[in-house]
């Protein structure tokens, strides 16, 4: 088994909330993530819900403010929250909040100096699921994925590229088309270079336009979100799903902003929605 260090564990909501660290082959750094495991029968394997976080976040934001544990305990779902980028003194960074550390955009970078460490796609799609499968009682045949903002972009694109792996997909305030917003143009241009065709596999709307499909989708977006018009552009996802015939419940929630006050309000609904599909 791969080595895993326990950073902390706490009894909470009839389960155990833990934070763990390991040496990542994908990023060449230590990576930290959190896992909530509800109480369960000995030998049981539980479905797992992955949560990908947004710009500037670590695993700690949703772990401390997401309010998911009661719902996960009720439905018997394991909840995993990775970090958003590699960390460490030798990891390159940028002064801006929307690039470098805390802004990995769930891509495998090809440009220097980012290519050596910024391999978050490989980490999320391959390395971390294998590690979690070794150390926790997860049923990897029952996986769901969700995320917020940059992490919503990550959840959508990971699921669209791996439709056989995920039974359920949702997002909070996702960046739906990095090809068409300042955050995405900066990040994908910096990590992947100027060829916009290479960006398409990291753009949910482009993936759908290119033929990728998922069975169903749940999205919550606040109408009071300051980033809605310039960065998130939810309407592009509505159009893409309608054109492709993807069953999408894209809910505009009146007055809610981009914060964890919004996410925590609807988190239990998302957990329940995933649990229903992961039980099948």
């Amino acid at each position: 088994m791969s080595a895993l260090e326990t950073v902390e564990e706490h009894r909470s909501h009839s389960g155990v909330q833990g934070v763990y660290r390991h040496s990542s082959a994908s990023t060449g750094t230590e990576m930290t993530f959190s896992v909530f495991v509800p109480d369960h029968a000995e030998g049981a394997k539980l479905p797992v819900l992955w949560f990908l976080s947004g710009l500037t976040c670590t695993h700690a934001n949703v772990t401390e403010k997401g309010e998911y544990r009661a719902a996960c305990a009720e439905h018997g779902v394991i909840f995993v929250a990775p970090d958003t980028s590699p960390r460490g003194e030798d990891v390159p960074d940028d002064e801006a909040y929307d690039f470098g550390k805390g802004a990995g955009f769930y891509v495998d970078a090809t440009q220097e100096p980012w290519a050596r460490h910024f391999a978050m796609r490989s980490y999320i799609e391959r390395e971390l699921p294998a590690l979690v499968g070794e150390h926790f009682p997860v049923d990897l045949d029952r996986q769901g994925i969700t995320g917020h903002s940059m992490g919503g972009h990550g959840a959508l694109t990971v699921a669209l590229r791996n439709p056989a792996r995920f039974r359920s997909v949702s997002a909070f305030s996702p960046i739906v088309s990095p090809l068409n917003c300042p955050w995405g143009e900066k990040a994908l241009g910096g990590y992947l270079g100027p060829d916009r065709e290479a960006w398409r596999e990291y753009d949910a709307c482009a993936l759908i336009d290119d033929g990728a499909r998922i069975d169903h989708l749940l999205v919550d977006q606040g109408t009071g979100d300051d980033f809605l018009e310039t960065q998130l552009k939810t309407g592009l996802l509505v159009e893409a799903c309608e054109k492709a015939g993807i069953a999408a419940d894209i809910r505009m929630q009146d007055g809610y902003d981009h914060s964890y006050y919004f996410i925590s309000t609807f988190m239990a609904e998302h957990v329940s929605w995933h649990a229903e599909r992961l039980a099948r």
Side-chain angles (χ1 to χ4, degrees):
M1 296 179 72
S2 302
L4 189 67
E5 175 189 353
T6 299
V7 178
E8 58 182 288
E9 288 184 335
H10 307 279
R11 182 76 177 155
S12 179
H13 287 282
S14 300
V16 175
Q17 176 65 66
V19 176
Y20 308 93
R21 183 183 297 123
H22 73 110
S23 295
S24 168
S26 300
T27 68
T29 66
E30 288 193 336
M31 295 293 291
T32 302
F33 62 98
S34 73
V35 182
F36 175 71
V37 180
D39 290 348
H40 55 280
E42 185 175 355
K45 296 284 189 178
L46 304 182
V48 59
L49 178 59
W50 303 89
F51 183 94
L52 306 185
S53 296
L55 287 167
T56 75
C57 292
T58 70
H59 71 280
N61 297 75
V62 69
T63 305
E64 296 170 1
K65 298 185 287 188
E67 300 185 23
Y68 54 84
R69 279 175 284 272
C72 286
E74 177 184 354
H75 296 288
V77 173
I78 291 174
F79 191 98
V80 181
D83 202 347
T84 55
S85 78
R87 312 274 176 177
E89 292 183 1
D90 65 337
V91 175
D93 199 9
D94 189 89
E95 292 182 357
Y97 75 95
D98 55 357
F99 196 66
K101 292 180 184 179
F105 267 83
Y106 304 102
V107 307
D108 279 357
T110 59
Q111 304 300 298
E112 296 301 335
W114 314 103
R116 178 182 176 188
H117 295 295
F118 281 72
M120 291 303 294
R121 173 180 177 174
S122 293
Y123 181 70
I124 295 298
E125 289 188 353
R126 296 194 296 272
E127 184 177 6
L128 188 58
L131 183 73
V132 168
E134 285 182 358
H135 290 275
F136 299 93
V138 298
D139 180 355
L140 292 178
D141 290 328
R142 292 187 291 161
Q143 297 186 63
I145 191 166
T146 186
H148 171 235
S149 193
M150 179 186 72
H153 138 76
L156 295 176
T157 56
V158 168
L160 285 162
R161 290 192 303 262
N162 301 276
R165 181 181 301 180
F166 298 98
R167 295 192 186 185
S168 56
V169 189
S170 76
F172 299 88
S173 314
I175 303 169
V176 306
S177 184
L179 277 156
N180 294 290
C181 74
W183 278 341
E185 290 181 350
K186 178 177 181 178
L188 299 188
Y191 293 135
L192 304 176
D195 181 8
R196 293 175 67 91
E197 283 299 307
W199 302 6
R200 294 184 68 84
E201 61 186 319
Y202 296 109
D203 182 300
C205 292
L207 282 165
I208 293 170
D209 188 52
D210 291 344
R213 294 293 182 268
I214 50 179
D215 292 337
H216 42 247
L217 175 64
L218 171 64
V219 171
D220 276 315
Q221 171 63 58
T223 63
D225 191 323
D226 290 340
F227 302 114
L228 175 57
E229 300 300 326
T230 58
Q231 303 283 10
L232 308 178
K233 300 190 176 183
T234 311
L236 295 178
L237 183 63
V238 174
E239 294 173 6
C241 288
E242 288 178 348
K243 182 179 179 181
I246 294 174
D249 190 1
I250 299 176
R251 311 187 301 190
M252 302 303 295
Q253 302 290 1
D254 188 41
Y256 286 92
D257 60 19
H258 201 67
S259 72
Y260 270 89
Y261 294 107
F262 163 61
I263 298 168
S264 63
T265 300
F266 298 98
M267 179 65 84
E269 288 186 42
H270 279 241
V271 171
S272 177
W273 185 87
H274 282 276
E276 180 182 354
R277 287 153 180 80
L278 296 175
R280 297 171 184 171

